[in-house]
Amino acid sequence: GGLGADTITITPGFDRANECPGPRCRQRPGESLQSTGTGPLSNKEMQAIKSISEVQYANAELTGSKDVYYLGKTAKLNIIGVDTNVWKYMTTVTLESGRFLGQGDTNSIVIGNTIAKDIFKNKVIINRQLIINDKSFMVVGIMKESGGFGSDDRNIYMPLNNAKVVLEKEENEYDMIVVKVKNSDSVEKVEDLLEKKLMIVRHVNADTKDFTILSMKTIQERVTS
């Protein structure tokens, strides 16, 4: 339940194994489960997504891992760049201390519980600085321990513009777009609308499809079964 049944994730590359089994699977007999790689998501996909009236928020994300240095110890950790305008309204993360990233934040980070307490020799507390790619980032929030499926305990969240530099990403390039729908009852309808619109903007059809849409509702159904 904590995953948020009203969220949908879009990633580049069509991963049949990930999207099926589920209500969206159109696998033909004899067709193997396969993944196809492709280019990243961009602003044109974001505009198409935002044009759907049932979409409440859309958050473009960048992901990667980098060496993080704190008081004499270095660890390789997950970095997630988020849109600070919408992330706090979409995340299912709860904070143990501090605050979420907000509009206008720069060089600020929210860190997972494991990073705060177990990764480094010294505990990391609010307003301490972590060094990532020779750049200082101030810890403004520490998450509560999640310890579960899709754990956030080893993640560092930072503003998109910072993540672009740290993870050495191109301009107008996203690894993932997370969508929050206004009403969880309309998730499947929104999934269908997203698929139609993204196929148009990416110039693909059902056979050449190069993106994967996965709703938390589908994941929950799979876990339940």
Side-chain angles (χ1 to χ4, degrees):
L3 286 171
D6 56 355
T7 58
I8 299 168
T9 302
I10 300 128
T11 49
F14 183 39
D15 185 349
R16 290 191 192 284
N18 211 5
E19 208 172 63
C20 306
R24 321 183 40 70
C25 188
R26 287 197 302 272
Q27 191 182 349
R28 291 179 285 275
E31 184 177 44
S32 63
L33 295 179
Q34 64 194 29
S35 300
T36 56
T38 186
L41 302 165
S42 68
N43 288 333
K44 68 180 182 186
E45 283 86 355
M46 279 294 280
Q47 286 167 351
I49 290 163
K50 287 178 177 176
S51 71
I52 298 171
S53 60
E54 287 91 345
V55 168
Q56 187 172 18
Y57 299 113
N59 176 30
E61 294 189 2
L62 293 171
T63 59
S65 61
K66 283 288 171 182
D67 286 336
V68 180
Y69 176 86
Y70 178 67
L71 297 182
K73 187 176 176 191
T74 302
K76 200 172 198 69
L77 298 170
N78 300 327
I79 309 289
I80 302 176
V82 296
D83 181 346
T84 55
N85 294 319
V86 299
W87 178 59
K88 62 184 172 186
Y89 304 116
M90 297 180 64
T91 182
T92 55
V93 160
T94 48
L95 293 179
E96 185 172 279
S97 59
R99 63 172 178 82
F100 283 111
L101 297 171
Q103 204 170 353
D105 259 330
T106 183
N107 298 341
S108 303
I109 51 175
V110 171
I111 64 173
N113 203 273
T114 301
I115 298 170
K117 294 176 181 172
D118 301 322
I119 296 285
F120 300 103
K121 281 186 284 196
N122 302 56
K123 286 188 177 180
V124 184
I125 57 172
I126 296 297
N127 294 334
R128 286 288 163 86
Q129 307 267 349
L130 298 185
I131 310 295
I132 311 169
N133 258 23
D134 299 325
K135 203 175 182 70
S136 289
F137 289 87
M138 183 179 282
V139 177
V140 298
I142 295 170
M143 300 175 213
K144 277 187 183 167
E145 186 177 359
S146 66
F149 181 68
S151 172
D152 289 297
D153 294 335
R154 293 177 65 92
N155 290 344
I156 294 177
Y157 291 88
M158 66 172 61
L160 263 181
N161 284 339
N162 291 136
K164 203 178 292 173
V165 176
V166 166
L167 298 172
E168 297 157 26
K169 301 281 185 176
E170 297 292 326
E171 194 66 40
N172 188 24
E173 174 182 304
Y174 308 118
D175 295 313
M176 184 187 300
I177 297 174
V178 183
V179 172
K180 186 180 176 76
V181 298
K182 289 175 182 171
N183 184 340
S184 58
D185 293 338
S186 63
V187 164
E188 284 176 25
K189 177 189 172 187
V190 175
E191 281 186 272
D192 286 332
L193 287 169
L194 284 168
E195 180 161 342
K196 289 188 179 88
K197 282 186 178 279
L198 293 179
M199 285 209 283
I200 291 166
V201 299
R202 289 176 79 82
H203 308 295
V204 295
N205 57 38
D207 294 319
T208 59
K209 190 174 154 193
D210 62 355
F211 59 90
T212 297
I213 296 174
L214 192 62
S215 72
M216 287 303 161
K217 201 170 181 179
T218 302
I219 292 175
Q220 285 174 340
E221 282 166 6
R222 198 176 307 174
V223 170
T224 305
S225 69

